[in-house]
Amino acid sequence: MTHVRPSFVQLENFLDNDSHQRMLDFALDCSEFRAAEITRNDAPHGTIDPSARRGQVASAEPLRDILEAPLRALLPHIRLEIGVPRFELGGIELWLSAHRDGDFFMEHQDLIHNRPRRLTFTYYFEDPATKFDGGELRLYDHERTADDRLIRVDTFQDVEPIDNSIAFFPPWAYHEVRPVRNRSEGEPGVRYAITGFFLDVTPPVVQPNLRPEQQNELATRYIPSFTPRGFEAAPVPTSTYLRLREFVDQGIMSAGPEPGAGDDPFLVGHPDFIPLGPLAEDVLAELKPMHERWAGFPLVPSAAYGVRVYRDGHRLLPHVDRIETHVISSVVHLMHDTDTPWHLRIVDVDGDSHDVALEEGEMVFYESARSVHSRPEPMVGRSYCSIFVHYRPVDWNMSWAMLVAQAEADGHDHLLPGGSVSAQP
């Protein structure tokens, strides 16, 4: 494999003083901020996941008259310096973000299937009266495989968020925003940024519109299995469990409705939620060796979802998890107050169903991209608290479009978009 280090360009003193002040005045007066979303291939309109991203965003369209002309003038030069192939500019996407103490954005790419992004940029600006640490843009290195796929590795470059500077980098590069730390005395400050993308005029690739039953069968049929059964229960390491249990004990009374739960087609009920915040990164690191031993190969962290607090009557319909990223996973059970055991049903590699009842301090590994799982019976009680930890193989490359193409080649018309799910394979 060939080592690939993403190129980036950072320019200081990007805007003149008047333009910089206009940007700051707009941000300080903006009343349109909302919780930042994560846009996924299987949820193109975005979802809110505070364990993966914390911050606020708003449209930056009112600032376009300041930014667009200098951005367009720089594009030919930046494109050449970073090594982005020539493309016909179809527009510039602009978003305003606000980061307060502790806000962050975990590792991700900027490649979105319905937005042909070719180059990413971030412009940093802040009130001179505030003081911050952290918030670096961390660009990870990659390895290029023989079949021209890029795999993220653990080495990286950090780009400092200098006031009135702008950084350009390729959208395929895995990157993250490190936690912001406010160092101002008195009233906490806000660090602002404009994140944007140069868009190609190339039409977007549309992901197939599949029913849940089709997704389940496609995943079971075409995604390989890595373990003998596809799932296994185990104790949570004591230190990890005690840390998480203390976190839940302190936060359970303030748990609020889970963001986006009402749009989840597999949830029956609206669970409460406790964001893990920066603790998610620690959990992923601590549990990664266990998941690698169970799977039998190296893994890359995908996500540690915050504490979901199920309530009386809640159910979970049969489904598989995100096949792009949630491949080797676990449910880490922390505490419950139930009247009867509440089983997690998992379909093993042979197609047989198993009901798993976890005790507090136990976890269950499962191949979440291919093993259909559910909680078919309503929960009876007051609360049931777990987190969900997800990893993927280092060379993983899977999408619903790929599975649909394989089903079409095999003649399984009932697994294609618009196909009848009642048809037999």
Side-chain angles (χ1 to χ4, degrees):
M1 292 192 292
T2 304
H3 189 81
V4 178
R5 167 156 282 198
S7 297
F8 73 91
V9 173
Q10 185 174 24
L11 303 175
E12 297 186 29
N13 300 313
F14 179 62
L15 297 176
D16 60 56
N17 291 337
D18 288 343
S19 297
H20 178 271
Q21 189 62 47
R22 281 185 60 197
M23 302 278 284
L24 183 59
D25 290 343
F26 175 84
L28 291 171
D29 293 338
C30 182
S31 61
E32 304 299 323
F33 281 110
R34 63 182 187 277
E37 298 177 342
I38 297 174
T39 303
R40 297 169 172 164
N41 286 341
D42 59 349
H45 295 295
T47 187
I48 298 172
D49 182 353
S51 67
R53 184 183 186 186
R54 204 176 82 183
Q56 294 184 307
V57 297
S59 172
E61 281 301 310
L63 301 173
R64 184 174 293 276
D65 66 310
I66 302 175
L67 293 166
E68 184 149 11
L71 286 170
R72 284 180 175 270
L74 279 171
L75 176 58
H77 311 285
I78 299 297
R79 182 183 63 77
L80 288 174
E81 191 161 348
I82 292 180
V84 176
R86 182 179 177 83
F87 63 93
E88 183 179 354
L89 183 61
I92 301 176
E93 187 178 343
L94 296 171
W95 294 98
L96 171 64
S97 62
H99 287 143
R100 293 171 172 80
D101 186 65
D103 287 352
F104 68 100
F105 195 172
M106 287 184 66
E107 171 198 329
H108 64 285
Q109 294 172 295
D110 289 331
L111 297 174
I112 304 299
H113 70 80
N114 63 345
R115 299 178 193 168
R117 297 168 173 173
R118 296 294 178 261
L119 186 61
T120 300
F121 59 87
T122 300
Y123 170 72
Y124 301 101
F125 63 109
E126 60 190 51
D127 188 335
T130 60
K131 298 179 181 179
F132 295 93
D133 292 333
E136 300 90 352
L137 169 65
R138 178 160 293 180
L139 291 170
Y140 286 95
D141 296 344
H142 303 69
E143 298 286 350
R144 188 182 299 278
T145 65
D147 57 353
D148 204 36
R149 285 179 293 115
L150 287 171
I151 302 169
R152 170 253 200 235
V153 297
D154 291 335
T155 54
F156 56 84
Q157 309 168 84
D158 278 348
V159 180
E160 294 294 330
I162 301 170
D163 182 41
N164 198 22
S165 72
I166 188 168
F168 300 84
F169 59 96
W172 52 258
Y174 279 100
H175 60 284
E176 65 177 291
V177 178
R178 303 293 293 166
V180 171
R181 300 300 179 196
N182 180 66
R183 303 301 183 200
S184 303
E185 296 181 1
E187 187 70 19
V190 183
R191 171 176 278 168
Y192 298 103
I194 299 291
T195 298
F197 312 94
F198 292 97
L199 305 179
D200 198 335
V201 296
T202 305
V205 176
V206 179
Q207 291 292 324
N209 184 20
L210 299 167
R211 299 179 179 87
E213 299 92 336
Q214 292 174 309
Q215 292 182 349
N216 293 346
E217 187 173 342
L218 280 166
T220 302
R221 182 184 294 271
Y222 291 117
I223 293 180
S225 178
F226 302 107
T227 64
R229 286 203 306 170
F231 75 97
E232 181 181 342
V236 182
T238 302
S239 60
T240 304
Y241 171 67
L242 292 177
R243 186 179 181 189
L244 287 169
R245 180 58 189 263
E246 180 182 11
F247 178 81
V248 173
D249 288 341
Q250 293 175 351
I252 187 67
M253 298 306 296
S254 60
E258 180 176 350
D263 299 324
D264 190 329
F266 307 114
L267 274 173
V268 178
H270 295 80
D272 288 333
F273 188 77
I274 309 172
L276 281 178
L279 180 58
E281 187 173 353
D282 294 342
V283 172
L284 284 167
E286 291 172 14
L287 298 183
K288 181 183 173 187
M290 294 182 65
H291 288 78
E292 290 178 329
R293 284 194 296 271
W294 181 68
F297 47 79
L299 298 171
V300 175
S302 294
Y305 195 64
V307 182
R308 176 177 283 174
V309 186
Y310 296 98
R311 302 297 187 183
D312 187 64
H314 289 177
R315 291 190 298 129
L316 193 62
L317 302 179
H319 68 287
V320 293
D321 291 338
R322 295 175 54 197
I323 66 171
E324 297 88 356
T325 54
H326 295 14
V327 183
I328 300 295
S329 304
S330 65
V331 177
V332 178
H333 184 50
L334 302 176
M335 61 179 292
H336 61 261
D337 180 12
T338 58
D339 299 330
T340 59
W342 196 38
H343 296 94
L344 173 66
R345 181 167 295 173
I346 302 178
V347 180
D348 67 18
V349 297
D350 296 320
D352 298 324
S353 295
H354 302 263
D355 287 346
V356 180
L358 293 174
E359 298 296 332
E360 295 178 356
E362 291 185 335
M363 61 194 296
V364 58
F365 300 105
Y366 64 113
E367 299 184 31
S368 52
R370 77 169 307 278
S371 296
V372 178
H373 51 286
S374 62
R375 292 188 185 270
E377 301 299 327
M379 196 274 278
V380 180
R382 286 139 301 278
S383 63
Y384 189 97
C385 307
S386 302
I387 68 170
F388 307 89
V389 184
H390 303 285
Y391 304 86
R392 63 189 183 278
V394 294
D395 57 352
W396 187 252
N397 179 28
M398 191 67 66
S399 69
W400 290 117
M402 294 170 61
L403 301 192
V404 166
Q406 186 62 54
E408 185 174 20
D410 293 344
H412 298 308
D413 293 343
H414 70 295
L415 296 178
L416 306 182
S420 172
V421 295
S422 61
Q424 296 299 312

